[in-house]
Amino acid sequence: KKQVKRPLARVAFQAGRTLKENFRLAQLEAVVQMLEEHECDFVDALGRDFRKPRFETVVSELILVKNEAVYAINNLKKWMQPQKVERNLSTTLDDCLVISEPLGVVLIIGTWCSPVQMCLVPLVGAIAAGNCAIISPSECTVHTTELLHRLIPFYLDNECFHVILAGMSDLPEVIELKFDHVFFTGNKEDGSKIALAAARTLTPVTLILGGKNPCYVDQHCDISTTVQRIAWARFHNAGQSLVAPDYILCHTDVKARLVQALKCCLMEFYGSNPQESRSFGRIVNLEIFNRTRDILWRSGKVAVGGHVIEAEKYIAPTVLTDVAESDLVMQKEIFGPVLPILTVNNVDEAIGFINKQEKPLCVYAYSTNGKVISRLMSETCSGSFCSNDCILQSVMVALPFGGVGASGMGSFHGRYSFDTFSHKKSCLLRSARFECVTYLRYPPFEERNLSLMTWASSLSQKSQGWCQIM
């Protein structure tokens, strides 16, 4: 199956099936229609994979994809237009354009923690840019993957778009079929394997990788709002997220109040027994459950939660205090409802701590002091930054979202997705006239001609940048 589908998409692409604006619009509209007509099926599939509440599925998976598709539909004409480039002395009589060309056949590898969003948001960009796409959803989310595999052929063009069911171990072999771009979301180890396989065929990659996202809580902040926003971000989807805050660095003065407020907040969110709450999900499989439980048991001191039930893949929303930098919870990425708290004495210490680690996907900072926010934003390096809230910067259509360094490369959302899946082709449109000037570049080379060209260059450098009489 894997061997057949990419060539089929390649033939469709080479025949120009995806080039026309009408075709792209129709496919984008079909994505919206699929989500609207099968909302219940998506809610059911994610419910079976994670016991994910309907509210969470609609808000954090379906609405996000719909927003992206509608935004692309509304802006596609503008994005597809050639961009004119400012003229200078040497191009006064020429047309300089940048044309966005589709790359070809792209491979989109989704992650299990946002199984709809991370397959379909990149797909929207690939469709808008005029590509054919092969989608490989995660093998961990069996029901959601099966649903995408079943629905996509009913809604999208069968020659241009395909869903393959490939495990992580099969993907390097799939990539060697040669794609024009690979878009991968997941952990760093798998990302490295994908990049290595892609490098063998010189295939460009976008990697959105997890990591440990720090969250600084200043002594000057509104504690109750801060705690609600952090708790919502850390514990939604039972903590299975690439963009949730991974640990809190809080000012020593505020730690006791913060822990107390987190206790009260979790009680409000999920009641005295979160196991019975209809607003709290489960871990996707036993492997990730066991990994999270081991991290939890071997780190810090449980201040809230800590209860686990293997038969249900249930881990209670848990807050850890007295966490040491050497604890397991600070060495590994957390894919579960566990929030470690470390203390710092000032903002300098927080910045120093963050900069000692690898560059994260997100940095979060809570403070009512603008200078503190400004320092964290400018003195740390991360894929994205958000102050006094979490996650929102990673889902906005107008903002590029991606990693840097260890948290990945490339970005997506809105126009940035269109650009990721496009080749920017430089086009210079000249006429055959004015040979009376261009003859200066031809052999035999004369000193006089070189002097004239140097003189022309020096003139334009002063006025409007580099110029060559070529």
Side-chain angles (χ1 to χ4, degrees):
K1 198 188 277 180
K2 279 177 304 211
Q3 300 296 331
V4 172
K5 286 186 170 172
R6 194 205 53 94
L8 191 65
R10 177 72 62 204
V11 170
F13 180 74
Q14 285 167 347
R17 292 287 305 279
T18 59
L19 289 179
K20 293 211 164 35
E21 186 189 344
N22 301 354
F23 175 85
R24 303 183 196 186
L25 286 171
Q27 300 302 301
L28 290 168
E29 280 157 6
V31 170
V32 176
Q33 192 186 350
M34 176 177 79
L35 294 171
E36 285 175 349
E37 291 178 357
H38 292 276
E39 182 182 296
C40 291
D41 295 323
F42 280 107
V43 167
D44 178 60
L46 285 149
R48 287 158 79 182
D49 284 328
F50 295 103
R51 248 187 69 181
K52 194 171 173 72
R54 178 174 185 274
F55 185 96
E56 271 185 13
T57 292
V58 173
V59 171
S60 68
E61 296 273 5
L62 309 184
I63 286 178
L64 289 183
V65 179
K66 236 187 276 188
N67 284 350
E68 287 282 338
V70 170
Y71 187 75
I73 289 164
N74 293 339
N75 288 281
L76 189 62
K77 187 179 275 307
K78 185 173 72 185
W79 294 347
M80 286 176 71
Q81 280 166 357
Q83 292 165 288
K84 292 225 167 188
V85 176
E86 199 183 330
R87 290 174 173 173
N88 66 16
L89 192 57
S90 66
T91 58
T92 310
L93 303 163
D94 305 324
D95 272 331
C96 293
L97 305 171
V98 177
I99 288 175
S100 295
E101 277 190 340
L103 294 172
V105 182
V106 302
L107 175 64
I108 295 164
I109 303 166
T111 181
W112 57 270
C113 53
S114 304
V116 180
Q117 186 201 139
M118 293 314 294
C119 281
L120 299 188
V121 171
L123 178 64
V124 164
I127 292 171
N131 298 277
C132 289
I134 310 294
I135 305 122
S136 175
S138 171
E139 58 189 327
C140 294
T141 45
V142 180
H143 300 96
T144 308
T145 294
E146 197 279 319
L147 183 64
L148 289 168
H149 187 247
R150 186 160 56 80
L151 290 183
I152 282 176
F154 274 105
Y155 285 88
L156 298 184
D157 185 286
N158 280 208
E159 287 174 19
C160 301
F161 306 102
H162 304 278
V163 178
I164 59 168
L165 304 174
M168 194 56 223
S169 53
D170 304 320
L171 285 171
E173 181 198 329
V174 173
I175 288 167
E176 280 168 18
L177 288 170
K178 180 72 182 108
F179 289 87
D180 298 291
H181 194 93
V182 174
F183 189 106
F184 171 83
T185 316
N187 64 46
K188 201 169 75 179
E189 294 69 39
D190 290 341
S192 299
K193 288 175 197 159
I194 296 296
L196 204 59
R200 290 191 196 107
T201 53
L202 293 180
T203 303
V205 292
T206 299
L207 302 174
I208 311 291
L209 308 176
K212 298 199 67 65
N213 304 319
C215 178
Y216 173 66
V217 177
D218 195 33
Q219 77 268 44
H220 305 295
C221 76
D222 177 334
I223 283 284
S224 67
T225 305
T226 294
V227 159
Q228 284 192 311
R229 291 177 182 185
I230 292 173
W232 165 77
R234 176 67 267 182
F235 299 113
H236 94 279
N237 201 32
Q240 298 162 101
S241 164
L242 288 174
V243 290
D246 212 81
Y247 60 94
I248 289 178
L249 290 173
C250 80
H251 195 285
T252 320
D253 296 353
V254 87
K255 182 193 161 191
R257 278 160 55 219
L258 186 76
V259 173
Q260 187 51 45
L262 273 165
K263 264 185 197 166
C264 298
C265 177
L266 288 172
M267 177 71 94
E268 276 173 38
F269 280 10
Y270 308 113
S272 56
N273 184 4
Q275 187 194 347
E276 289 170 4
S277 168
R278 291 171 60 192
S279 301
F280 189 70
R282 297 296 182 265
I283 305 297
V284 72
N285 60 28
L286 273 175
E287 185 192 338
I288 288 156
F289 169 86
N290 289 330
R291 187 174 164 273
T292 309
R293 179 186 57 188
D294 293 348
I295 288 172
L296 160 61
W297 282 352
R298 290 163 63 186
S299 308
K301 187 179 111 198
V302 172
V304 186
H307 185 44
V308 301
I309 302 170
E310 186 174 338
E312 261 192 51
K313 301 193 287 286
Y314 167 78
I315 297 176
T318 300
V319 177
L320 297 176
T321 54
D322 302 345
V323 175
E325 209 180 322
S326 56
D327 282 353
L328 197 57
V329 78
M330 293 306 293
Q331 307 308 311
K332 294 186 181 295
E333 196 178 345
I334 307 165
F335 277 115
V338 179
L339 181 61
I341 297 179
L342 293 87
T343 52
V344 287
N345 294 308
N346 50 48
V347 71
D348 297 294
E349 217 177 289
I351 290 167
F353 187 95
I354 293 166
N355 289 339
K356 246 191 334 192
Q357 325 299 321
E358 289 183 315
K359 293 173 184 175
L361 193 53
C362 318
V363 166
Y364 299 113
Y366 286 81
S367 178
T368 49
N369 182 333
K371 284 185 181 151
V372 167
I373 297 298
S374 184
R375 284 198 60 195
L376 273 143
M377 184 168 68
S378 57
E379 293 176 35
T380 63
C381 183
S382 57
S384 65
F385 176 84
C386 181
S387 70
N388 296 311
D389 213 331
C390 293
I391 296 182
L392 300 188
Q393 86 293 350
S394 73
V395 295
M396 291 192 171
V397 289
L399 286 175
F401 181 73
V404 59
S407 55
M409 58 183 84
S411 64
F412 73 119
H413 281 314
R415 175 72 203 234
Y416 302 94
S417 295
F418 180 87
D419 290 344
T420 285
F421 291 109
S422 300
H423 165 60
K424 299 289 177 197
K425 183 161 86 175
S426 341
C427 302
L428 175 63
L429 310 178
R430 303 203 91 166
S431 84
R433 293 173 299 158
F434 309 109
E435 195 64 358
C436 56
V437 179
T438 53
Y439 84 93
L440 291 171
R441 71 193 178 187
Y442 304 139
F445 299 127
E446 303 284 343
E447 197 57 41
R448 189 176 71 89
N449 293 1
L450 181 60
S451 299
L452 273 170
M453 289 177 82
T454 311
W455 171 76
S457 294
S458 67
L459 271 186
S460 74
Q461 279 170 31
K462 284 173 194 158
S463 62
Q464 58 189 59
W466 179 247
C467 159
Q468 299 156 289
I469 300 184
M470 295 292 256

